[in-house]
Amino acid sequence: MSAGWMAFWPVAVFFLGGLATQFTGWLTYRRQQKERQQDAAAALHERRESFELEHLQRLNEALQALGRATAQAHHADMMASRETRLYGGGMLPDELDEALRVANQDVHMLVGLVLDDELREQVKEARSALNQLGGMLRVDPREADAMFMAGHQRVSEAQDRIAARIREIYLTSTAAQLAR
């Protein structure tokens, strides 16, 4: 071999080593970048689930409070109807009126934060069904009682759906943590 080729090999090996180092560095950078993106996506998903879970739990409690307050108001109106033979039209005690107002306000505020469109609409309809009782003035108590039962059935169905979504969040969250 000539002296020119002998000088070429060390230089070639040097450049090839540099290229291999650069390529390995690039691969490492790409892997780390992908891991960072996956970590960011996982953190975003976790924040979303945490947000949804917190608000669904609060909404479920608010629906329960609205159902309780509505039941108390309905009971008061039913007791009053024993004397008048007509449902509604009387004034509710201030405490009960305030409980209804607060419960309605809480449900209204929280329902807007529900991420699932169908669930959000179901809760709105349930709240509306319960609130129809407030507009029933001087009607047959049996009609009001049927309306009350229908409203509570819709609230119960909405709460069942909320509970199913909460369970789903917990199950997917647990499965994701076990997969890591």
Side-chain angles (χ1 to χ4, degrees), residues 15-44:
F15 279 112
L16 287 174
L19 283 174
T21 300
Q22 289 294 325
F23 183 69
T24 303
W26 179 79
L27 287 176
T28 301
Y29 168 78
R30 294 288 294 163
R31 181 180 42 79
Q32 289 172 342
Q33 185 180 29
K34 186 174 182 176
E35 287 172 357
R36 280 192 301 273
Q37 288 172 342
Q38 289 172 337
D39 289 346
L44 181 63

Side-chain angles (χ1 to χ4, degrees), residues 63 66-67 69-70 87 99-101 103-105 107-108 123-136 147-148 151-152 155:
L63 277 172
L66 179 60
T70 303
Y87 181 89
L100 275 169
R101 186 191 69 72
N104 263 298
Q105 181 180 344
V107 171
H108 178 73
V123 172
K124 284 180 180 180
E125 290 169 6
R127 177 177 167 258
S128 177
L130 279 182
N131 285 325
Q132 286 179 354
L133 279 171
M136 298 186 88
M147 180 71 70
F148 170 76
H152 265 277
V155 168

Side-chain angles (χ1 to χ4, degrees), residues 37-54:
Q37 288 172 342
Q38 289 172 337
D39 289 346
L44 181 63
H45 182 74
E46 190 174 315
R47 278 195 311 269
R48 180 195 179 280
E49 282 185 339
S50 178
F51 170 86
E52 186 176 11
L53 185 60
E54 176 187 342

